[in-house]
Every structure is written in C-alpha cells, then in structure tokens.
Amino acid sequence: MNFHALSHMPQSRDAFHIDRNATVIRFRAARGDLAKVDLFVKRKYDEKPLGSIPMTIAFSDTLFDYYHAVIPTDFGRRVYYFELTDNSGDKYCYTENGVQKPEEISPGYFPHFQIPFLSESDIHRVPDKFRNATVYQIFTDRFHTAKPKCDWTKKPTPFDFFGGDLYGVKDKLNYIKDLGIDCIYFTPINPSRTNHHYDVEDYYHVAKELGGDDAFKAVVDGAHKLGMTVMLDGVFNHCSAANPMFVDVREKGRASEYYDWFLIDGDKPQAEMDGWKCLSCNYQTFANKVAYMPKLNCDNVKVREFVKDVTVHWMKEFNIDAWRLDVADDIAPALWREVRGAIKGYDNNAIMIGEDWMDPYAFLQGDVFDGVMNYGFARAARDYLAYKTADADVAAERLVRTYLRTSKPAADMMLNLIGCHDTHRFLHLCGGDVFSFNAAMAMMFFYDGMPMVYYGDELPMDGGADPDCRRGFEWNRVGSDTSKLITRLSAMRKGESKDTVMKISASDGALVMTRKTGDKTNRLIVNVKADKAKISGDTVPAKTVYIDIDGEHIEFSAK
C-alpha cells in the first residue's frame, strides 16, 4: 500500500454537509491500491459504534482513487475513521494519527476524525431556483436595440458604443426563455464613461444610455414573469476615476472624507498618462496601472458598509436575485463575509458568484461565495477541444480534479463557462470548428454546476480577444443547430434533482460523462480521435459526439 497517497482533511472539501441529516466524506488513495475502504462511525459521546459504511470510488485519475460515502448526522457530533483493506487482504486504519493497525484504535473517540455539533450556518445551502439553472450572460450594449449608434456588424474597438439597451433586452425576453434559460446575468449597467461599465461612477442607478432605472425594473419584472431570475455584476474592487468620491480626493487630498477609501501613496492621487495609457500612478488600481479604475480600500469600515448598502439597495429597489462579483479574489474574504450576511439577511435564497480564475477553495467553504466562475472547467475544455494539447484521459483527469477542489454544494453553484466577455469566444479558439464548439457546450451541460451561455454562443458567434469577443449579436442567424442543442441540454438539467450523480472517465480514447438521477442515466461520449472508439458495447465513429438523454439519441460529427 502506498501510504504517501492516503489523504483526508476533516471539516473541509473532504467532509462537508449537504443538509441537516447528511454529511459527505471523501477519502483519497493510490489508484488501484485498495480492495475496499470502510468508514467506521459512532456518536462522539457514546461508546457504542453506529457501524461501518462501505465507501465507493466516485472518481479516479491517473494517480488516485477518490472514495465517497454519506454519513447520517442529524445534529453532528460524530467521530469516524477509515479501515483500509489492501489487495492482499491486510487491514490498516487511517485516523488523525495517520496509518495505524486495527488493534491500535482506542475505544474512545481519540484519535478519530470529528464532525462537531452541526449548526444551521454550517450548511452550504443550494437555493432550489438556482440548482441546475442555465445562465445567459448579456453585454447590454451589444445585445439588441431598435436604434443602433453604429454599424451593428462592425468589429468593435475599446471605445465603440453600439447602442444596445435594456429595452432591447426586454423585447427579447421570450427569445431568451425559449432558449432554455433560467437566469439572465448582466455585466455592469451603472453610469460609466466606457461601453463595458466596469468603471462605475454611480453605484445606485442604471446608465441612462442603457435605458435608466425604469428600463431595468421592466426587464427584471418581465424576466420574473417568465420564471427567470436576474444576476447583476457588482464592481467593488475598484470604481471610476470620474466617480465623485475619487474626484473629491483628487481635489482635496488628505482633507477629503474619502481619502482612506482608496490606497494612495502621497497627499493626492496622481497619474502620468499618454492618452488612455497610464505610464505611472501613485495609487492602487484595477490590475496594473489602470489609472481610470482606482482600487477601493476594502479594509476601510466605511467602504465595507457602503458595499453592503449598495448590494441590498439593488435587491430592494430592483428586485434582483443574484450577484456576480468582479475581481472577487483581489478583495479580502472578510469583506465578502460581511456582504454575504447583508445579502442573505435580506434574501436567503439570493446567491453570490465570485470571479476567481484560480483555485477558489478559500472562498467556497459556505461562508463567502455560493460559487465562482469556473475557469478550471473552461481551461480543460479548451485544451481538449480547441488547443488539442490534452487527450481524453488528460481532460477527464483535469475535470475530476477541478470538481474535487470544492464541496458538492459549491460545485452545484459553480458558474461553468467556455467563454465570456473577458475571453476569446470558444468558436474562435476552435478555428471556426462548430463540431468542437458543440462538443464543449455538451460537456458544460454534463458537468455539475450552472452552465452559462455567453450571448451569441447559441449561434455560435466568432470573436477574438477583448474587445472582439463583444461584437453585436447576429440576429440574422437565430435558429441554429447549436441553439437547439442548448435547449435540449437545458431541459435535461431541469429534469434532474439534488441527488443527481455525475461521473467522468476516459475509455478507448474518448471522454465519457454521465448524469444519473434515480434509475435514469444520461450519457455523453466525445470522440475527437481520427478513429472509432468502443465504449460499453457502443461503437462511436471518429470525430463524433454521442448524447443519450431520456432514451433520445443525439449524434453529430465533424465535417
């Protein structure tokens, strides 16, 4: 037995609550090393064991098997350890002390792992209205309008305003609903001097060029009537240099009441500019020297109160249901915990989705975000289907490891994507190959979490790096095979439950993903090889995708 491969961390992504009565336990061992793993459980203050639970292998990758079991916990106060049987029949136990012989296990509760008293706040709840929801991201200036300000078909520059507005969105709500969408996610709509609106000048209102407050209220009301929720982009890492708070500091320096709202090295903020390009500045900004977006000092108590007030304001005044939080990993979790208290205090079913491009575990333990944008999934899909740098085995391993970074409730709330306003469109990365694009879309819907469709990807649309990925929506191309695929896959997810189980593997050079609900199993096979793949009695031709949903068979191949 490879003792170095054994791993379990209590009260973490290896041991988490899914509701009041159930706790998931995970255990890792070297792949193929163990004949079986049994989980021994008892009440902490009761000498009588509750018995053992056989663990099953939920996932495997090149190096490890990942075992899974569910403990009935009611109010917690459980202790547990693992009994490991190797392929020779020898038994060992794994406890807080590490590897021990079975006869070395004490009759008390030391050195067992512990599940302490279970409080309601320990449970990472998944609101029903967002479970398995399909999300549609809209960049408002480029989606739809009756009065375009320029050639709608042109390639955008960083400074173009196309004229898309919220009334245009309202006119297309039925289109969005018919696509299978459950939640509309808007990039920022606050007053701003840019088309992207991430440089906020007024945190309490909607930009007039997008239709103003009344237009957004009409969109939210219309979406709700169609059974869709609304998510808004919140920008609290930074604001606009034209925001009255920063202007006050620029004019008054240290005498301004807002001086400590920013991170300034000197008496006043100063920047040396060459047009829009910042050569140097003495204050912290978004990213690096983006002078027109000064960073807010989120350690300042007044800034924290301001952020809490703004988030609740939009929920009260505009009735939004969720927040996507920009550059969330550049802000201390302490602020987000306070914001979470304010948001959940107003509406416990509202969700917070953070922007984090790296391993997000620090933010996904149930006390900060509900989920984050899942760039780990996006990178795995790109490497497999667009860049061709990963085969099916590597893709499956990457998808498994990305999934196991978080707990199951957090995984259910991940915002899965293959592209967005910050990235190349996936079709562009594929060199225009619709087969690879549709395969990636299918993978996204078969992966736990909320699949997100970036506006126009249902066509699909092309577009390189920002700002090219923000072209005007091509309304003359509505009704594509991709849009029909999205609608069908979205319907599949709506038929699932919180108990749906995802499996990911590679077989004969093809990627296999399944989703099992009760006695029904839906299956996706992606074969991008130049030759056929044989999987569970099925022969999948070269460069072909098989999808089985509720007995319906969908198949498409590369041209």
Side-chain angles (χ1 to χ4, degrees):
M1 184 186 300
N2 182 353
F3 295 131
H4 297 88
L6 304 178
S7 179
H8 174 76
M9 182 65 68
Q11 300 181 63
S12 73
R13 52 191 155 199
D14 290 342
F16 53 87
H17 311 294
I18 51 177
D19 57 38
R20 166 64 71 187
N21 299 309
T23 299
V24 171
I25 303 295
R26 291 171 175 168
F27 182 78
R28 192 192 74 186
R31 182 166 184 168
D33 218 17
L34 300 179
K36 66 173 182 171
V37 177
D38 293 299
L39 183 63
F40 280 77
V41 185
K42 64 181 177 180
R43 292 186 177 89
K44 184 176 181 180
Y45 301 112
D46 187 344
E47 294 296 321
K48 182 180 179 182
L50 293 175
S52 65
I53 301 171
M55 302 190 76
T56 59
I57 297 176
F59 298 99
S60 296
D61 59 27
T62 306
L63 299 176
F64 305 111
D65 289 325
Y66 301 93
Y67 289 83
H68 171 279
V70 178
I71 297 178
T73 44
D74 50 70
F75 283 96
R77 289 175 173 161
R78 298 288 193 270
V79 292
Y80 60 94
Y81 66 91
F82 305 91
E83 184 180 83
L84 319 176
T85 304
D86 67 16
N87 293 315
S88 300
D90 294 329
K91 294 183 183 295
Y92 299 86
C93 294
Y94 192 80
T95 72
E96 283 191 344
N97 287 343
V99 178
Q100 295 183 269
K101 297 287 184 64
E103 60 269 21
E104 296 173 349
I105 302 297
S106 64
Y109 53 79
F110 295 110
H112 297 49
F113 296 105
Q114 177 186 208
I115 301 170
F117 183 86
L118 177 57
S119 300
E120 180 64 28
S121 58
D122 293 327
I123 303 170
H124 191 166
R125 298 284 187 187
V126 177
D128 289 339
K129 64 183 177 181
F130 290 103
R131 189 186 301 278
N132 294 313
T134 300
V135 180
Y136 191 78
Q137 183 189 8
I138 291 179
F139 191 95
T140 305
D141 184 62
R142 309 293 159 80
F143 185 65
H144 182 60
T145 182
K147 301 176 180 179
K149 294 182 178 179
C150 66
D151 178 5
W152 192 260
T153 63
K154 66 174 285 190
K155 284 194 174 185
T157 72
F159 310 105
D160 287 328
F161 286 86
F162 278 40
D165 56 32
L166 291 162
Y167 289 113
V169 176
K170 183 175 180 293
D171 289 343
K172 296 297 183 179
L173 286 176
N174 284 312
Y175 164 81
I176 296 169
K177 178 65 177 178
D178 290 344
L179 187 61
I181 302 304
D182 304 292
C183 174
I184 304 174
Y185 153 39
F186 288 93
T187 56
I189 55 175
N190 305 89
S192 162
R193 301 191 181 189
T194 64
N195 53 46
H196 57 70
H197 294 266
Y198 280 94
D199 51 328
V200 177
E201 295 185 17
D202 180 349
Y203 277 91
Y204 290 92
H205 294 286
V206 176
K208 291 182 179 179
E209 67 268 22
L210 298 181
D213 292 359
D214 289 342
F216 187 55
K217 288 178 180 179
V219 168
V220 175
D221 183 59
H224 286 169
K225 287 179 179 177
L226 291 173
M228 294 184 288
T229 57
V230 175
M231 180 187 301
L232 187 59
D233 214 325
V235 188
F236 302 110
N237 174 70
H238 53 271
C239 66
S240 169
N243 187 294
M245 298 181 295
F246 192 74
V247 171
D248 192 70
V249 178
R250 198 163 53 214
E251 293 174 352
K252 300 177 183 176
R254 292 182 185 273
S256 169
E257 64 177 301
Y258 299 110
Y259 179 85
D260 290 333
W261 285 47
F262 302 92
L263 299 162
I264 304 165
D265 183 14
D267 292 331
K268 287 185 176 182
Q270 297 177 337
E272 181 184 358
M273 304 295 295
D274 180 9
W276 277 84
K277 183 180 180 181
C278 176
L279 303 178
S280 66
C281 59
N282 69 337
Y283 54 91
Q284 292 294 317
T285 70
F286 161 70
N288 182 36
K289 295 191 295 186
V290 184
Y292 76 97
M293 291 194 282
K295 181 173 173 59
L296 289 161
N297 177 12
C298 292
D299 286 328
N300 185 310
V301 173
K302 291 183 179 179
V303 171
R304 293 185 178 195
E305 292 301 317
F306 172 76
V307 174
K308 289 188 285 185
D309 186 69
V310 170
T311 54
V312 174
H313 166 81
W314 286 85
M315 297 168 72
K316 286 182 177 179
E317 297 299 320
F318 296 91
N319 204 20
I320 68 166
D321 307 278
W323 282 100
R324 181 268 189 186
L325 299 159
D326 190 54
V327 203
D329 54 341
D330 259 6
I331 298 176
L335 175 137
W336 293 130
R337 290 188 184 97
E338 291 186 29
V339 173
R340 182 180 182 86
I343 289 174
K344 297 288 187 176
Y346 182 78
D347 180 2
N348 195 45
N349 289 316
I351 62 169
M352 298 168 62
I353 303 297
E355 180 192 17
D356 188 342
W357 292 53
M358 307 303 181
D359 187 332
Y361 179 59
F363 294 99
L364 294 177
Q365 299 177 54
D367 61 342
V368 183
F369 301 136
D370 294 280
V372 300
M373 297 184 75
N374 198 348
Y375 284 98
F377 170 84
R379 286 191 290 270
R382 289 175 188 176
D383 288 348
Y384 179 44
L385 295 168
Y387 301 146
K388 314 293 187 186
T389 56
D391 61 14
D393 292 276
V394 172
E397 180 168 320
R398 294 263 301 277
L399 292 171
V400 165
R401 291 194 176 187
T402 296
Y403 174 77
L404 292 174
R405 286 175 176 177
T406 66
S407 68
K408 168 64 172 170
D412 285 342
M413 288 286 92
M414 295 292 275
L415 191 58
N416 297 334
L417 68 152
I418 58 174
C420 69
H421 66 289
D422 283 329
T423 69
H424 297 71
R425 285 190 181 264
F426 200 89
L427 185 67
H428 186 85
L429 298 178
C430 295
D433 178 14
V434 177
F435 165 75
S436 294
F437 180 91
N438 287 346
M441 191 65 71
M443 283 171 56
M444 183 173 69
F445 275 87
F446 267 79
Y447 201 68
D448 276 2
M450 299 182 292
M452 187 192 86
V453 179
Y454 183 39
Y455 82 94
D457 271 357
E458 68 269 30
L459 304 180
M461 280 174 55
D462 197 358
D466 168 19
D468 192 36
C469 58
R470 304 172 182 181
R471 299 182 189 181
F473 190 102
E474 298 169 10
W475 288 104
N476 61 317
R477 296 180 53 215
V478 168
S480 68
D481 289 341
T482 300
S483 66
K484 295 172 186 175
L485 177 65
I486 290 170
T487 303
R488 185 64 190 95
L489 291 168
S490 178
M492 175 192 76
R493 293 297 297 268
K494 290 176 177 60
E496 297 179 349
S497 73
K498 68 176 184 177
D499 300 317
T500 295
V501 176
M502 174 185 70
K503 294 282 188 180
I504 304 169
S505 63
S507 179
D508 196 21
L511 179 70
V512 182
M513 302 177 71
T514 61
R515 301 188 63 81
K516 187 175 188 296
T517 305
D519 60 359
K520 178 181 67 178
T521 299
N522 295 323
R523 184 175 62 158
L524 166 69
I525 302 173
V526 180
N527 180 21
V528 298
K529 299 187 304 174
D531 57 341
K532 62 187 177 183
K534 292 184 178 180
I535 295 137
S536 301
D538 290 322
T539 299
V540 183
K543 299 186 181 300
T544 297
V545 170
Y546 271 11
I547 307 175
D548 290 308
I549 303 175
D550 300 337
E552 175 188 358
H553 182 73
I554 302 169
E555 178 181 335
F556 54 89
S557 301
K559 295 181 179 179

mmCIF file of all heavy atoms in Angstrom, residues 136-140 142-143 421 425 453-458 461 469-474:
data_model
loop_
_atom_site.group_PDB
_atom_site.id
_atom_site.type_symbol
_atom_site.label_atom_id
_atom_site.label_comp_id
_atom_site.label_asym_id
_atom_site.label_seq_id
_atom_site.Cartn_x
_atom_site.Cartn_y
_atom_site.Cartn_z
ATOM 1 N N TYR A 136 -27.599 32.912 -18.840
ATOM 2 C CA TYR A 136 -27.321 33.591 -20.110
ATOM 3 C C TYR A 136 -26.677 34.933 -19.803
ATOM 4 O O TYR A 136 -27.273 35.784 -19.142
ATOM 5 C CB TYR A 136 -28.621 33.781 -20.885
ATOM 6 C CG TYR A 136 -28.477 34.224 -22.326
ATOM 7 C CD1 TYR A 136 -28.116 33.311 -23.318
ATOM 8 C CD2 TYR A 136 -28.727 35.538 -22.699
ATOM 9 C CE1 TYR A 136 -28.008 33.696 -24.644
ATOM 10 C CE2 TYR A 136 -28.626 35.941 -24.023
ATOM 11 C CZ TYR A 136 -28.264 35.007 -25.000
ATOM 12 O OH TYR A 136 -28.153 35.389 -26.314
ATOM 13 N N GLN A 137 -25.440 35.135 -20.273
ATOM 14 C CA GLN A 137 -24.735 36.384 -20.000
ATOM 15 C C GLN A 137 -24.963 37.394 -21.111
ATOM 16 O O GLN A 137 -24.787 37.088 -22.297
ATOM 17 C CB GLN A 137 -23.229 36.146 -19.841
ATOM 18 C CG GLN A 137 -22.481 37.431 -19.488
ATOM 19 C CD GLN A 137 -20.972 37.287 -19.534
ATOM 20 O OE1 GLN A 137 -20.453 36.261 -19.975
ATOM 21 N NE2 GLN A 137 -20.263 38.302 -19.084
ATOM 22 N N ILE A 138 -25.326 38.619 -20.703
ATOM 23 C CA ILE A 138 -25.604 39.689 -21.660
ATOM 24 C C ILE A 138 -24.678 40.873 -21.413
ATOM 25 O O ILE A 138 -24.570 41.375 -20.296
ATOM 26 C CB ILE A 138 -27.075 40.144 -21.567
ATOM 27 C CG1 ILE A 138 -28.007 39.049 -22.092
ATOM 28 C CG2 ILE A 138 -27.289 41.443 -22.342
ATOM 29 C CD1 ILE A 138 -29.477 39.403 -22.009
ATOM 30 N N PHE A 139 -24.006 41.303 -22.472
ATOM 31 C CA PHE A 139 -23.263 42.561 -22.519
ATOM 32 C C PHE A 139 -24.212 43.546 -23.184
ATOM 33 O O PHE A 139 -24.370 43.547 -24.402
ATOM 34 C CB PHE A 139 -21.981 42.347 -23.323
ATOM 35 C CG PHE A 139 -20.989 43.473 -23.245
ATOM 36 C CD1 PHE A 139 -19.957 43.433 -22.330
ATOM 37 C CD2 PHE A 139 -21.076 44.564 -24.098
ATOM 38 C CE1 PHE A 139 -19.016 44.465 -22.263
ATOM 39 C CE2 PHE A 139 -20.157 45.595 -24.040
ATOM 40 C CZ PHE A 139 -19.118 45.547 -23.120
ATOM 41 N N THR A 140 -24.863 44.380 -22.402
ATOM 42 C CA THR A 140 -26.070 45.085 -22.844
ATOM 43 C C THR A 140 -25.859 45.924 -24.101
ATOM 44 O O THR A 140 -26.715 45.938 -24.997
ATOM 45 C CB THR A 140 -26.611 45.957 -21.699
ATOM 46 O OG1 THR A 140 -26.808 45.145 -20.545
ATOM 47 C CG2 THR A 140 -27.933 46.590 -22.091
ATOM 48 N N ARG A 142 -24.293 45.406 -26.629
ATOM 49 C CA ARG A 142 -24.104 44.637 -27.852
ATOM 50 C C ARG A 142 -25.212 43.615 -28.104
ATOM 51 O O ARG A 142 -25.102 42.822 -29.045
ATOM 52 C CB ARG A 142 -22.750 43.906 -27.813
ATOM 53 C CG ARG A 142 -21.584 44.816 -27.467
ATOM 54 C CD ARG A 142 -21.315 45.855 -28.556
ATOM 55 N NE ARG A 142 -20.568 46.995 -28.061
ATOM 56 C CZ ARG A 142 -19.248 47.011 -27.875
ATOM 57 N NH1 ARG A 142 -18.538 45.941 -28.151
ATOM 58 N NH2 ARG A 142 -18.651 48.102 -27.450
ATOM 59 N N PHE A 143 -26.252 43.613 -27.286
ATOM 60 C CA PHE A 143 -27.246 42.554 -27.415
ATOM 61 C C PHE A 143 -28.372 42.899 -28.399
ATOM 62 O O PHE A 143 -28.573 42.213 -29.397
ATOM 63 C CB PHE A 143 -27.832 42.200 -26.050
ATOM 64 C CG PHE A 143 -28.787 41.040 -26.082
ATOM 65 C CD1 PHE A 143 -28.342 39.765 -26.411
ATOM 66 C CD2 PHE A 143 -30.133 41.220 -25.792
ATOM 67 C CE1 PHE A 143 -29.220 38.687 -26.454
ATOM 68 C CE2 PHE A 143 -31.023 40.148 -25.833
ATOM 69 C CZ PHE A 143 -30.558 38.884 -26.167
ATOM 70 N N HIS A 421 -17.205 37.675 -21.633
ATOM 71 C CA HIS A 421 -16.804 38.987 -22.129
ATOM 72 C C HIS A 421 -15.305 39.252 -21.968
ATOM 73 O O HIS A 421 -14.776 40.201 -22.561
ATOM 74 C CB HIS A 421 -17.592 40.068 -21.387
ATOM 75 C CG HIS A 421 -17.261 40.152 -19.928
ATOM 76 N ND1 HIS A 421 -17.635 39.174 -19.033
ATOM 77 C CD2 HIS A 421 -16.584 41.079 -19.209
ATOM 78 C CE1 HIS A 421 -17.204 39.491 -17.824
ATOM 79 N NE2 HIS A 421 -16.561 40.642 -17.909
ATOM 80 N N ARG A 425 -13.887 34.084 -27.783
ATOM 81 C CA ARG A 425 -15.017 33.172 -27.924
ATOM 82 C C ARG A 425 -14.474 31.779 -28.270
ATOM 83 O O ARG A 425 -13.485 31.639 -28.988
ATOM 84 C CB ARG A 425 -15.990 33.664 -28.988
ATOM 85 C CG ARG A 425 -16.832 34.849 -28.505
ATOM 86 C CD ARG A 425 -17.949 35.152 -29.466
ATOM 87 N NE ARG A 425 -18.747 36.293 -29.039
ATOM 88 C CZ ARG A 425 -19.887 36.208 -28.358
ATOM 89 N NH1 ARG A 425 -20.354 35.020 -28.034
ATOM 90 N NH2 ARG A 425 -20.558 37.290 -28.009
ATOM 91 N N VAL A 453 -24.253 30.382 -20.890
ATOM 92 C CA VAL A 453 -24.166 30.652 -22.328
ATOM 93 C C VAL A 453 -23.899 32.144 -22.511
ATOM 94 O O VAL A 453 -24.704 32.980 -22.094
ATOM 95 C CB VAL A 453 -25.474 30.243 -23.037
ATOM 96 C CG1 VAL A 453 -25.387 30.559 -24.524
ATOM 97 C CG2 VAL A 453 -25.780 28.768 -22.804
ATOM 98 N N TYR A 454 -22.768 32.478 -23.092
ATOM 99 C CA TYR A 454 -22.445 33.869 -23.398
ATOM 100 C C TYR A 454 -23.253 34.295 -24.622
ATOM 101 O O TYR A 454 -23.317 33.551 -25.613
ATOM 102 C CB TYR A 454 -20.947 33.987 -23.655
ATOM 103 C CG TYR A 454 -20.423 35.375 -23.920
ATOM 104 C CD1 TYR A 454 -20.904 36.480 -23.214
ATOM 105 C CD2 TYR A 454 -19.434 35.588 -24.867
ATOM 106 C CE1 TYR A 454 -20.414 37.747 -23.451
ATOM 107 C CE2 TYR A 454 -18.930 36.858 -25.120
ATOM 108 C CZ TYR A 454 -19.421 37.936 -24.411
ATOM 109 O OH TYR A 454 -18.932 39.199 -24.645
ATOM 110 N N TYR A 455 -23.881 35.477 -24.547
ATOM 111 C CA TYR A 455 -24.789 35.895 -25.613
ATOM 112 C C TYR A 455 -24.155 35.636 -26.983
ATOM 113 O O TYR A 455 -22.994 35.945 -27.236
ATOM 114 C CB TYR A 455 -25.152 37.383 -25.451
ATOM 115 C CG TYR A 455 -24.118 38.336 -26.003
ATOM 116 C CD1 TYR A 455 -24.216 38.852 -27.300
ATOM 117 C CD2 TYR A 455 -23.021 38.728 -25.230
ATOM 118 C CE1 TYR A 455 -23.261 39.724 -27.813
ATOM 119 C CE2 TYR A 455 -22.062 39.590 -25.735
ATOM 120 C CZ TYR A 455 -22.183 40.081 -27.027
ATOM 121 O OH TYR A 455 -21.226 40.930 -27.539
ATOM 122 N N GLY A 456 -24.936 35.031 -27.875
ATOM 123 C CA GLY A 456 -24.456 34.752 -29.224
ATOM 124 C C GLY A 456 -23.798 33.399 -29.386
ATOM 125 O O GLY A 456 -23.627 32.932 -30.519
ATOM 126 N N ASP A 457 -23.411 32.760 -28.281
ATOM 127 C CA ASP A 457 -22.791 31.436 -28.409
ATOM 128 C C ASP A 457 -23.794 30.397 -28.886
ATOM 129 O O ASP A 457 -23.397 29.323 -29.344
ATOM 130 C CB ASP A 457 -22.178 31.003 -27.072
ATOM 131 C CG ASP A 457 -20.741 31.476 -26.927
ATOM 132 O OD1 ASP A 457 -20.209 32.085 -27.876
ATOM 133 O OD2 ASP A 457 -20.136 31.237 -25.859
ATOM 134 N N GLU A 458 -25.073 30.711 -28.801
ATOM 135 C CA GLU A 458 -26.068 29.771 -29.303
ATOM 136 C C GLU A 458 -26.112 29.766 -30.832
ATOM 137 O O GLU A 458 -26.777 28.913 -31.424
ATOM 138 C CB GLU A 458 -27.451 30.094 -28.728
ATOM 139 C CG GLU A 458 -28.079 31.388 -29.205
ATOM 140 C CD GLU A 458 -27.749 32.584 -28.316
ATOM 141 O OE1 GLU A 458 -26.659 32.594 -27.703
ATOM 142 O OE2 GLU A 458 -28.569 33.526 -28.259
ATOM 143 N N MET A 461 -21.296 32.498 -32.325
ATOM 144 C CA MET A 461 -20.603 33.668 -32.856
ATOM 145 C C MET A 461 -19.098 33.524 -32.714
ATOM 146 O O MET A 461 -18.610 32.856 -31.807
ATOM 147 C CB MET A 461 -21.068 34.935 -32.128
ATOM 148 C CG MET A 461 -22.399 35.475 -32.626
ATOM 149 S SD MET A 461 -23.006 36.877 -31.643
ATOM 150 C CE MET A 461 -21.633 38.022 -31.710
ATOM 151 N N CYS A 469 -14.449 39.923 -28.737
ATOM 152 C CA CYS A 469 -15.434 38.972 -28.217
ATOM 153 C C CYS A 469 -16.744 39.650 -27.839
ATOM 154 O O CYS A 469 -17.682 38.980 -27.373
ATOM 155 C CB CYS A 469 -14.859 38.243 -27.000
ATOM 156 S SG CYS A 469 -14.345 39.339 -25.660
ATOM 157 N N ARG A 470 -16.822 40.961 -28.039
ATOM 158 C CA ARG A 470 -18.002 41.735 -27.656
ATOM 159 C C ARG A 470 -18.705 42.328 -28.880
ATOM 160 O O ARG A 470 -19.171 43.465 -28.868
ATOM 161 C CB ARG A 470 -17.604 42.846 -26.679
ATOM 162 C CG ARG A 470 -16.894 42.324 -25.435
ATOM 163 C CD ARG A 470 -16.323 43.434 -24.568
ATOM 164 N NE ARG A 470 -15.617 42.892 -23.404
ATOM 165 C CZ ARG A 470 -15.031 43.630 -22.459
ATOM 166 N NH1 ARG A 470 -15.042 44.958 -22.562
ATOM 167 N NH2 ARG A 470 -14.426 43.051 -21.438
ATOM 168 N N ARG A 471 -18.800 41.555 -29.939
ATOM 169 C CA ARG A 471 -19.462 42.017 -31.161
ATOM 170 C C ARG A 471 -20.970 42.136 -30.954
ATOM 171 O O ARG A 471 -21.522 41.584 -30.008
ATOM 172 C CB ARG A 471 -19.188 41.038 -32.300
ATOM 173 C CG ARG A 471 -17.726 40.868 -32.674
ATOM 174 C CD ARG A 471 -17.561 39.910 -33.836
ATOM 175 N NE ARG A 471 -16.159 39.566 -34.083
ATOM 176 C CZ ARG A 471 -15.756 38.755 -35.048
ATOM 177 N NH1 ARG A 471 -16.642 38.198 -35.875
ATOM 178 N NH2 ARG A 471 -14.466 38.482 -35.209
ATOM 179 N N GLY A 472 -21.616 42.830 -31.899
ATOM 180 C CA GLY A 472 -23.068 42.916 -31.865
ATOM 181 C C GLY A 472 -23.701 41.559 -32.159
ATOM 182 O O GLY A 472 -23.223 40.802 -33.012
ATOM 183 N N PHE A 473 -24.775 41.255 -31.449
ATOM 184 C CA PHE A 473 -25.476 39.979 -31.637
ATOM 185 C C PHE A 473 -25.961 39.863 -33.080
ATOM 186 O O PHE A 473 -26.533 40.799 -33.637
ATOM 187 C CB PHE A 473 -26.666 39.904 -30.680
ATOM 188 C CG PHE A 473 -27.326 38.549 -30.618
ATOM 189 C CD1 PHE A 473 -27.087 37.697 -29.564
ATOM 190 C CD2 PHE A 473 -28.193 38.130 -31.614
ATOM 191 C CE1 PHE A 473 -27.692 36.446 -29.505
ATOM 192 C CE2 PHE A 473 -28.803 36.889 -31.574
ATOM 193 C CZ PHE A 473 -28.545 36.043 -30.510
ATOM 194 N N GLU A 474 -25.750 38.678 -33.673
ATOM 195 C CA GLU A 474 -26.096 38.468 -35.086
ATOM 196 C C GLU A 474 -27.506 37.885 -35.199
ATOM 197 O O GLU A 474 -27.711 36.682 -35.353
ATOM 198 C CB GLU A 474 -25.044 37.541 -35.713
ATOM 199 C CG GLU A 474 -23.660 38.152 -35.675
ATOM 200 C CD GLU A 474 -22.560 37.170 -36.049
ATOM 201 O OE1 GLU A 474 -22.871 36.054 -36.525
ATOM 202 O OE2 GLU A 474 -21.374 37.512 -35.854
#
